[in-house]
Amino acid sequence: IMSVVGAQPFIKPMQSPPSVSPGIQRRHTLPASEVRPLNTQDAISVFEIEREAFISVSGECPLHLDEVRHFLTLCPELSMGWFEEGRLVAFIIGSLWDQDRLTTEALTLHKPCGSTVHIHVLAVHRTFRQQGKGPILMWRYLQYLRCLPNVRRAVLMCEDFLIPFYRKSGFKVLGRCAITVANLTFTEMWYPISGHAYMRRNSEAIRFPQHPLTVPLTKTDERVDV
């Protein structure tokens, strides 16, 4: 491609911008670590992580690709994705539910008037496991739910070997879930969402309801012990 100076020799060349290291430029456009709500353009990345995480363990995915798109269209504000330099590394997808316990309908429906957030799936990319990202993202998600005025609790269903993981995040066992998938059975767990005074130190990092912004993870988040 012909340069500006070569094509138009009478135009004074523009001054070169100050030299900035490529690393700094990249971090300016793609924060090293950030969270934001997911959208339908993220659906394939979400499903690829989910499929690898669950198929290898149970042979079943909580959400198929069309269901991922379904929830990211209806209620993207109830999702949260963790990105490293623009790459999705962990995510949560939820929807609203309006009954005390989960039923089969909860797997595919979003009830806008409900006060319970049904957490369908939490998954971490295989390259980023064993780094504490799952508990950190869950902690941020639960703090974020405190911003939503009509949400009173969060529920999820999990296989029994995951109960200790969710207990560490503050979930309590409700009992055996009425839902079965193939030959799998689940335990239903819940977490109370009380009040809107989430931690002030994290107030700048959770602004999704009014301003769905991309916000960086902070040192505070990295120290969270759940």
Side-chain angles (χ1 to χ4, degrees), residues 124-185:
V124 179
H125 190 284
R126 63 181 181 276
T127 306
F128 297 88
R129 290 174 197 156
Q130 307 302 318
Q131 299 177 19
K133 283 182 165 54
I136 291 172
L137 187 62
M138 179 60 79
W139 179 84
R140 287 179 63 92
Y141 186 76
L142 294 172
Q143 297 304 311
Y144 161 63
L145 293 184
R146 297 179 188 275
C147 303
L148 306 182
N150 297 322
V151 172
R152 295 292 174 263
R153 63 181 192 142
V155 299
L156 56 83
M157 57 187 233
C158 66
E159 293 183 77
D160 290 351
F161 74 92
L162 287 171
I163 291 175
F165 172 84
Y166 288 113
R167 273 187 167 147
K168 288 180 180 179
S169 293
F171 283 82
K172 300 176 182 179
V173 172
L174 265 176
R176 184 58 61 184
C177 186
I179 301 170
T180 59
V181 178
N183 61 342
L184 298 177
T185 59

Side-chain angles (χ1 to χ4, degrees), residues 80-223:
M80 183 176 283
W82 183 334
F83 294 80
E84 296 279 2
E85 296 187 347
R87 178 188 184 187
L88 181 65
V89 300
F91 69 89
I92 293 174
I93 292 180
S95 64
L96 286 176
W97 184 239
D98 60 358
Q99 299 180 32
D100 291 338
R101 299 293 295 269
L102 296 174
T103 69
T104 303
E105 290 184 330
L107 299 179
T108 55
L109 295 183
H110 167 60
K111 299 282 192 174
C113 296
S115 60
T116 294
V117 172
H118 173 202
I119 299 175
H120 293 269
V121 57
L122 160 65
V124 179
H125 190 284
R126 63 181 181 276
T127 306
F128 297 88
R129 290 174 197 156
Q130 307 302 318
Q131 299 177 19
K133 283 182 165 54
I136 291 172
L137 187 62
M138 179 60 79
W139 179 84
R140 287 179 63 92
Y141 186 76
L142 294 172
Q143 297 304 311
Y144 161 63
L145 293 184
R146 297 179 188 275
C147 303
L148 306 182
N150 297 322
V151 172
R152 295 292 174 263
R153 63 181 192 142
V155 299
L156 56 83
M157 57 187 233
C158 66
E159 293 183 77
D160 290 351
F161 74 92
L162 287 171
I163 291 175
F165 172 84
Y166 288 113
R167 273 187 167 147
K168 288 180 180 179
S169 293
F171 283 82
K172 300 176 182 179
V173 172
L174 265 176
R176 184 58 61 184
C177 186
I179 301 170
T180 59
V181 178
N183 61 342
L184 298 177
T185 59
F186 305 94
T187 294
E188 195 167 334
M189 305 187 73
W190 76 290
Y191 181 95
I193 306 295
S194 56
H196 311 297
Y198 52 89
M199 295 183 181
R200 182 174 298 177
R201 67 181 183 179
N202 202 45
S203 61
E204 289 302 310
I206 305 175
R207 293 179 288 176
F208 291 173
Q210 293 79 27
H211 307 288
L213 302 178
T214 296
V215 291
L217 287 161
T218 65
K219 293 295 183 182
T220 297
D221 296 304
E222 294 172 359
R223 292 196 301 269

Side-chain angles (χ1 to χ4, degrees), residues 1-13:
I1 299 174
M2 188 178 295
S3 69
V4 173
V5 175
Q8 303 179 41
F10 302 106
I11 296 179
K12 183 178 180 181

